[in-house]
Amino acid sequence: MTVERARITVFDTTLRDGEQSPGCSMNQPEKLRLAHQLDRLGVDVIEAGFPVASDGDFESVKAIAAAVRRPIIAGLARACRPDIERAWEALKDAGRPRIHVFLATSDIHLQYKLRITRDQCLAQARDAVRFAKSLCDDVEFSPEDATRTDPDFLCHVLDAVVEAGATTLNVPDTVGYTVPSEFGDLIATIRQRVKGIGNVTISAHCHNDLGMAVANALAAVAAGARQVECTINGIGERAGNASLEEIVMAMRVRPDRFAYETGVVGDQIFAASQMLSEITGVPVQPNKAITGRNAFAHEAGIHQDGVLKNPLTYEIMTPQSVGVPDSKLVLGKHSGRHALGMRCEQLGYQFDRRALDDIYRRFVRLADKIKKVEDHHLLELIRDTHKPSGSATPLIEPIPSAKAAAANAPASSLPATNPPVPEPPKPFPVGPQTNAFGVPLPAHADPHHEQTQQEDYLWGV
């Protein structure tokens, strides 16, 4: 029986919240270019900007609304008439416009930032959504700093904006304060207590100040949220936003835990990541999940040996599933003979085991000094190791096929008899085998097979 998977709306805010990340501002052509890539990526909503913030942002939102027709195009507005009017002016030509209204609701924001009372906040939120609704059918409301807002007051505000016409209720963890179990409980409370909640979509907008943005977003989805707000590469204010690629791939790799689906086109993820990095000039951290350059790179010898035999030994998704061309075996001091031999073959050289041992010893000494061995280093090492004055171990070049060799050889040089049969390799010496706790393992029915397997494993690393 097929299990029905709930559809999660992916709301991308790279062009709005992501752009607020220091050093990540974009001009209109850059925003439009990235918006087209987000369209190819298959996101459901593109938050194109904050139209009242500047003339440039207004023009960018307007241009995206006119040019990108499939997804919903959203514009942000504070809960006041001038912001909402400016947002609508930028969005009105969109095929599917959305006005996104926000107002802080936590006591610390009301007292120190807005200097208004809870009652004033409630009235302002209701009036702003009602006005936005008079202009646009699709209105999203965000109670800023929701996770530090008194839950009773938060539910009162959400009651009011649903009655005023909001179609999406976004719950922002604005300062990255919450933890997954707590955030899930908050979403469940909203579902239970807010009137008319069955007619609106609950959304989650999580920041990464404690490194839990993706975990919090997934907890919200598990509790009933059906929209996630996220950015490419997780860029955004301070420590960033929940990462789009991590949320999407968590659902795809672990459908047993996250029985949800999105419209994101997986093989466009890496292209979007690279485009954003190129536009902003901000590189992706090497160990970034999914899109970092090390996400599908392997240096440890045991890992390289496993990946060469079956990539699933150390990769839980294929590189191609997110648009990365292929895995990379990085040659460094932790690499093994298996990966070194493979790279030598790719460069056009083959060695017998003794010759590769000779190369490997020199390779490890070099890797200790320079950290990462590039192809030109390896070629230089091969030439230096096997020049006449170097090791006596011969270099074995790629061998042409027997038929081609016979055709090219002079008749006088052809052997009159069959070549001698090479001596079979000696078994690799293996002592008594134990498990990880020191308990002796039963002897294998074929000792020679066991020794060969052990030899291949140890030699590979």
Side-chain angles (χ1 to χ4, degrees), residues 96-237:
R96 302 171 67 195
R98 174 183 294 182
I99 298 176
H100 182 189
V101 178
F102 76 98
L103 180 65
T105 52
S106 68
D107 288 335
I108 192 169
H109 276 243
L110 296 182
Q111 180 179 352
Y112 293 102
K113 186 181 77 171
L114 299 179
R115 301 182 187 278
I116 60 176
T117 66
R118 285 187 176 185
D119 286 344
Q120 289 171 315
C121 172
L122 185 67
Q124 186 175 338
R126 182 183 57 242
D127 293 346
V129 168
R130 186 175 290 142
F131 177 59
K133 188 72 173 183
S134 71
L135 303 173
C136 180
D137 287 336
D138 190 354
V139 177
E140 177 171 331
F141 177 77
S142 289
E144 187 185 4
D145 204 19
T147 55
R148 293 194 297 173
T149 299
D150 173 72
D152 291 334
F153 178 61
L154 179 63
C155 288
H156 285 318
V157 172
L158 296 179
D159 277 337
V161 297
V162 169
E163 186 181 358
T167 49
T168 299
L169 298 182
N170 181 44
V171 185
D173 184 28
T174 305
V175 292
Y177 176 73
T178 198
V179 299
S181 58
E182 180 183 44
F183 198 46
D185 288 345
L186 179 60
I187 299 298
T189 297
I190 290 169
R191 289 185 69 197
Q192 292 165 4
R193 295 177 53 183
V194 173
K195 300 185 184 87
I197 198 67
N199 301 319
V200 300
T201 299
I202 301 176
S203 178
H205 179 113
C206 300
H207 279 262
N208 206 39
D209 297 71
L210 291 177
M212 290 187 278
V214 170
N216 287 332
L218 291 172
V221 168
R226 288 296 175 261
Q227 176 177 287
V228 287
E229 306 200 356
C230 43
T231 62
I232 301 299
N233 294 338
I235 67 168
E237 291 274 11

Side-chain angles (χ1 to χ4, degrees), residues 276-312:
L276 175 63
S277 183
E278 182 255 313
I279 287 173
T280 62
V282 177
V284 182
Q285 67 188 67
N287 64 321
K288 167 74 175 65
I290 316 300
T291 55
R293 71 168 183 264
N294 289 349
F296 297 96
H298 308 272
E299 182 181 331
I302 292 174
H303 290 218
Q304 291 176 333
D305 182 60
V307 167
L308 287 169
K309 291 170 179 173
N310 185 335
L312 293 177

Side-chain angles (χ1 to χ4, degrees), residues 49-124:
F50 192 177
V52 82
S54 70
D55 289 343
D57 227 31
F58 174 86
E59 293 300 334
S60 294
V61 175
K62 191 175 180 64
I64 292 168
V68 183
R69 309 301 290 179
R70 178 194 60 80
I72 294 169
I73 306 299
L76 189 68
R78 291 171 297 186
C80 59
R81 188 182 240 359
D83 276 37
I84 294 167
E85 288 175 336
R86 188 69 165 160
W88 177 242
E89 185 64 26
L91 292 167
K92 65 182 182 181
D93 293 330
R96 302 171 67 195
R98 174 183 294 182
I99 298 176
H100 182 189
V101 178
F102 76 98
L103 180 65
T105 52
S106 68
D107 288 335
I108 192 169
H109 276 243
L110 296 182
Q111 180 179 352
Y112 293 102
K113 186 181 77 171
L114 299 179
R115 301 182 187 278
I116 60 176
T117 66
R118 285 187 176 185
D119 286 344
Q120 289 171 315
C121 172
L122 185 67
Q124 186 175 338

Side-chain angles (χ1 to χ4, degrees), residues 223-339:
R226 288 296 175 261
Q227 176 177 287
V228 287
E229 306 200 356
C230 43
T231 62
I232 301 299
N233 294 338
I235 67 168
E237 291 274 11
R238 303 177 315 280
N241 289 57
S243 163
L244 179 149
E245 56 274 11
E246 293 174 26
I247 292 172
V248 169
M249 293 312 295
M251 293 177 183
R252 292 187 181 172
V253 171
R254 295 303 307 273
D256 56 322
R257 292 289 178 176
F258 305 112
Y260 314 108
E261 63 180 7
T262 71
V264 169
V265 180
D267 61 14
Q268 289 294 322
I269 287 175
F270 188 66
S273 169
Q274 292 294 293
M275 182 183 291
L276 175 63
S277 183
E278 182 255 313
I279 287 173
T280 62
V282 177
V284 182
Q285 67 188 67
N287 64 321
K288 167 74 175 65
I290 316 300
T291 55
R293 71 168 183 264
N294 289 349
F296 297 96
H298 308 272
E299 182 181 331
I302 292 174
H303 290 218
Q304 291 176 333
D305 182 60
V307 167
L308 287 169
K309 291 170 179 173
N310 185 335
L312 293 177
T313 54
Y314 287 100
E315 291 180 355
I316 60 173
M317 69 194 86
T318 66
Q320 294 79 11
S321 68
V322 295
V324 175
D326 208 347
S327 305
K328 292 188 297 183
L329 299 184
V330 178
L331 293 181
K333 69 177 182 178
H334 302 107
S335 299
R337 292 170 180 79
H338 195 169

